[in-house]
Amino acid sequence: MKKPEAEVALLEDHVSDSVNHRGFPAGKSSTGGWRSAWFIIGVEVAERFAYFGIACNLITYLTGPLGQSTATAAVNVNTWSGTASMLPILGAFVADAHLGRYRTILVASLIYILGLGLLTLSASLILMGLSDSEQRIDASAKPSFWVNILFFCSLYLVAIGQGGHKPCVQAFGADQFDSGDPKEVISRGSFFNWWFLSLSAGISLSIIVVAYVQDNVNWAFGFGIPCLFMVMALAIFLFGRKNYRYPKGNREENNNAFARIGKVFVAAFKNRKQSLEHSGLGQGLLEDGSSEKRNGRLDFLAKAMIAREEEEEEAVPCSGRDVEDAKALVRLVPIWITSVVSTIPYAQYITFFTKQGVTVDRQILPGLEIPPASLLSFIGVSILISVPIYEHVFLPLARMITKKPFGITMLQRIGVGMVLSSFNMVLAALVEAKRLQIAREHGLVDRPDVTVPMSIWWFVPQYLLLGMIDVFSLVGTQEFFYDQVPTELRSIGLALSLSAMGLSSFLSGLLITVIDWATGRDGADNSWFNTNLNRAHVDYFYWLLAAFTAVAFIAFLFISKLYVYRQVDQV
């Protein structure tokens, strides 16, 4: 006789803070772990294929069928990319405070598919409005006002869908590993690495296939393929629902993390004139009864635990856990700020890197010319090589040297990525200076339509370095923000790491606008971002970004030395 599922769940060793798809305690052997994680990784691979199918060649579409200038198109790409990276904060809030991660992913997927469908429709309308001779990217044949409106509305629908999808899928994947099991905690660290490796494979495939279709077939098919892959992502996600571990919901007013932590800041402000020593809180009392001597940093938040005499008797002061969670969030702010500055270079690889690739010889083999956006596939190749080396060579050596189970700390990992990022901007500046030199030597300064006799292979090293930077900085930042926020706010944690990239895209767009205005006041030919790249000075912009990243790294070193890691089980 088959035992009821509820009875089996009680007999099986289960995860304390998760349930299965029927609402019973989640069994360790029947749910979660790598079996569930691979379903979710598959979802993200398909979603990244869809997203980068749009993002990788967007600047070419804006300067081609939509007829925009290079500077305007770069600002539009940065604005859209920044919005897409900032919206995960809103999506994560909806998930952590209201819908939960699973339902948020479902709703976001439907919005995503709608946006991609309308994007395909807008490209089809442009295609139908052009004659056969105009289909070969004629900047003078601009689409109508309403087609532009449809295009940008659908583009930002994609950003909204991505905003709900991105932070929740990754957090939901990490939720499949029990934070109370030391072995599964180690597996969760590996999950972030293999997650990134797998989605990089999807990104590389998208860049190679979709960019080729967009450049050699038409844009309607080029946007339709990502739409089909997003439908596939939703199907994979629904197929694995019986295997998932679902975090228990804590949305009651007293348990809601937003309410708890918000109350700390309000109470601390009200008690700002109170003294911790006179209140008996000179030493913090932890829930296990032990005490900790306060170190002076962020102690003002501990005043939230002081009971005010004029408050109603039913009013309960904040607990030690609430205060520690609030402190954990405040400590993240300086790290987040330095991350914003150091990731400004990320915005360049889908804008100026791609436009530079258009100007040079793109033959990789005799008779085989690749689209400029296909260069982005080298980032994926680098990641596919770097992650196994990091996991199986670098980490074992680091563990032998440091005697720590994780090899290096998360902040050390992020710092290595910052150094590599600054170096990469120096390399990009030198390569662009070389391209300009060759253009001058061959009299091509005023002939932007003629290919500069410089091989595309000159640009490959900076793309390979971008992959290494991702493995250290991007993955390290995601793991850091996931680990260092309160358990109930892990979607928000991942959204914060994504928002750093989003804000950096906005800052990149702002820098481009200001520099274009400042350098082009005496004539458009003097602008660093001249539409004719042979007269532009993008190399100066790269030197400026290298300096910004170096300054951010110096500030990061100082901040990281003062940072105190959140102890998950301390309070």
Side-chain angles (χ1 to χ4, degrees):
M1 181 177 175
K2 189 176 180 179
K3 294 183 179 180
E5 186 173 349
E7 185 178 343
V8 173
L10 290 173
L11 292 174
E12 185 182 3
D13 188 18
H14 62 271
V15 183
S16 60
D17 58 354
S18 299
V19 296
N20 63 17
H21 71 289
R22 294 187 180 276
F24 300 122
K28 278 197 173 183
S29 60
S30 59
T31 65
W34 282 108
R35 173 182 49 207
S36 298
W38 283 116
F39 271 107
I40 299 170
I41 287 174
V43 172
E44 184 67 3
V45 169
E47 186 273 333
R48 289 289 88 184
F49 181 99
Y51 180 80
F52 274 87
I54 305 302
C56 72
N57 217 13
L58 183 58
I59 193 168
T60 304
Y61 187 74
L62 294 177
T63 55
L66 293 192
Q68 297 183 353
S69 69
T70 299
T72 301
V75 170
N76 279 330
V77 171
N78 284 330
T79 302
W80 175 74
S81 177
T83 302
S85 296
M86 293 294 287
L87 282 174
I89 294 179
L90 178 60
F93 172 79
V94 171
D96 287 346
H98 300 289
L99 292 181
R101 286 165 200 154
Y102 181 80
R103 291 188 184 91
T104 303
I105 293 168
L106 292 181
V107 173
S109 296
L110 295 174
I111 297 174
Y112 214 137
I113 292 168
L114 175 62
L116 290 170
L118 292 176
L119 200 62
T120 305
L121 174 62
S122 71
S124 300
L125 291 174
I126 292 176
L127 193 63
M128 289 186 290
L130 296 175
S131 66
D132 291 339
S133 62
E134 289 172 328
Q135 287 181 18
R136 297 181 177 275
I137 307 181
D138 182 4
S140 64
K142 296 182 180 180
S144 69
F145 171 79
W146 292 109
V147 172
N148 268 291
I149 292 294
L150 176 61
F151 170 78
F152 280 103
C153 286
S154 57
L155 192 65
Y156 278 88
L157 270 178
V158 171
I160 292 170
Q162 195 258 180
H165 197 278
K166 181 66 177 171
C168 297
V169 171
Q170 191 170 6
F172 193 62
D175 289 340
Q176 305 308 305
F177 300 94
D178 183 9
S179 59
D181 185 326
K183 291 183 179 179
E184 291 201 19
V185 170
I186 298 293
S187 295
R188 190 184 70 193
S190 294
F191 164 79
F192 282 96
N193 293 326
W194 292 107
W195 163 277
F196 204 73
L197 182 146
S198 300
L199 67 88
S200 297
I203 292 171
S204 300
L205 181 63
S206 175
I207 290 166
I208 293 170
V209 174
V210 178
Y212 179 85
V213 171
Q214 290 168 346
D215 283 0
N216 295 280
V217 183
N218 62 56
W219 287 94
F221 276 111
F223 289 153
I225 293 172
C227 184
L228 291 177
F229 265 77
M230 196 59 220
V231 173
M232 186 189 305
L234 179 58
I236 293 171
F237 184 67
L238 292 172
F239 188 72
R241 70 183 186 86
K242 292 184 179 180
N243 297 302
Y244 301 145
R245 292 174 184 169
Y246 301 83
K248 291 180 180 178
N250 289 317
R251 300 187 189 98
E252 298 83 2
E253 184 178 354
N254 292 333
N255 291 326
N256 187 294
F258 291 99
R260 288 194 301 104
I261 295 172
K263 183 180 176 183
V264 171
F265 292 103
V266 173
F269 178 77
K270 288 181 177 179
N271 294 337
R272 62 189 181 280
K273 296 182 180 180
Q274 301 286 336
S275 171
L276 286 174
E277 286 73 16
H278 294 162
S279 65
L281 292 173
Q283 286 188 332
L285 188 64
L286 302 179
E287 291 187 2
D288 62 1
S290 61
S291 63
E292 62 166 347
K293 187 174 180 61
R294 301 201 177 278
N295 57 15
R297 292 195 297 268
L298 301 180
D299 276 359
F300 69 93
L301 290 176
K303 294 181 178 181
M305 294 189 289
I306 301 175
R308 292 169 60 88
E309 294 180 1
E310 61 269 26
E311 295 283 354
E312 298 179 2
E313 293 183 2
E314 294 81 3
V316 179
C318 298
S319 67
R321 178 198 175 195
D322 299 337
V323 171
E324 289 303 316
D325 285 349
K327 286 183 178 181
L329 289 181
V330 173
R331 291 190 193 105
L332 293 178
V333 173
I335 302 293
W336 182 81
I337 292 173
T338 56
S339 296
V340 169
V341 177
S342 66
T343 51
I344 293 177
Y346 274 92
Q348 313 318 315
Y349 73 82
I350 58 173
T351 54
F352 292 123
F353 281 17
T354 301
K355 289 299 292 182
Q356 288 171 272
V358 174
T359 67
V360 299
D361 181 7
R362 289 178 274 118
Q363 281 196 348
I364 57 173
L365 292 172
L368 179 60
E369 183 176 277
I370 63 170
S374 293
L375 282 170
L376 296 174
S377 63
F378 284 105
I379 301 175
V381 170
S382 176
I383 292 170
L384 291 172
I385 296 171
S386 299
V387 169
I389 293 175
Y390 182 86
E391 278 280 323
H392 300 297
V393 178
F394 178 81
L395 280 185
L397 287 174
R399 287 172 184 141
M400 288 176 58
I401 295 171
T402 65
K403 308 300 181 183
K404 296 178 180 178
F406 291 100
I408 59 174
T409 66
M410 290 175 279
L411 289 176
Q412 287 171 339
R413 183 174 183 174
I414 295 169
V416 172
M418 286 185 176
V419 173
L420 291 175
S421 183
S422 183
F423 176 74
N424 199 32
M425 281 294 97
V426 172
L427 178 62
L430 294 174
V431 171
E432 173 60 7
K434 179 67 175 178
R435 191 192 68 81
L436 292 174
Q437 178 187 344
I438 294 173
R440 286 193 297 269
E441 290 173 353
H442 288 80
L444 301 177
V445 172
D446 293 315
R447 301 176 66 189
D449 296 332
V450 178
T451 299
V452 176
M454 178 181 185
S455 173
I456 195 71
W457 291 105
W458 278 84
F459 293 86
V460 170
Q462 63 199 55
Y463 283 95
L464 294 176
L465 261 176
L466 275 170
M468 294 176 61
I469 293 166
D470 283 347
V471 170
F472 280 95
S473 186
L474 188 58
V475 179
T477 301
Q478 290 176 349
E479 184 180 3
F480 176 77
F481 278 92
Y482 177 89
D483 186 76
Q484 293 299 297
V485 298
T487 304
E488 308 98 308
L489 297 182
R490 282 175 169 168
S491 295
I492 287 287
L494 285 172
L496 283 173
S497 69
L498 293 170
S499 69
M501 295 190 66
L503 188 55
S504 70
S505 292
F506 285 123
L507 289 176
S508 176
L510 178 62
L511 277 173
I512 291 170
T513 301
V514 172
I515 293 171
D516 187 44
W517 171 80
T519 58
R521 282 183 299 174
D522 298 330
D525 288 346
N526 297 323
S527 172
W528 287 9
F529 310 113
N530 193 311
T531 301
N532 175 6
L533 283 186
N534 295 339
R535 282 198 170 276
H537 273 293
V538 180
D539 54 332
Y540 294 171
F541 184 54
Y542 292 159
W543 282 113
L544 181 65
L545 295 184
F548 280 175
T549 308
V551 171
F553 173 68
I554 293 171
F556 175 82
L557 279 180
F558 175 76
I559 294 166
S560 60
K561 286 184 178 181
L562 301 176
Y563 186 81
V564 179
Y565 282 90
R566 177 175 178 264
Q567 300 297 319
V568 178
D569 299 321
Q570 181 185 24
V571 294

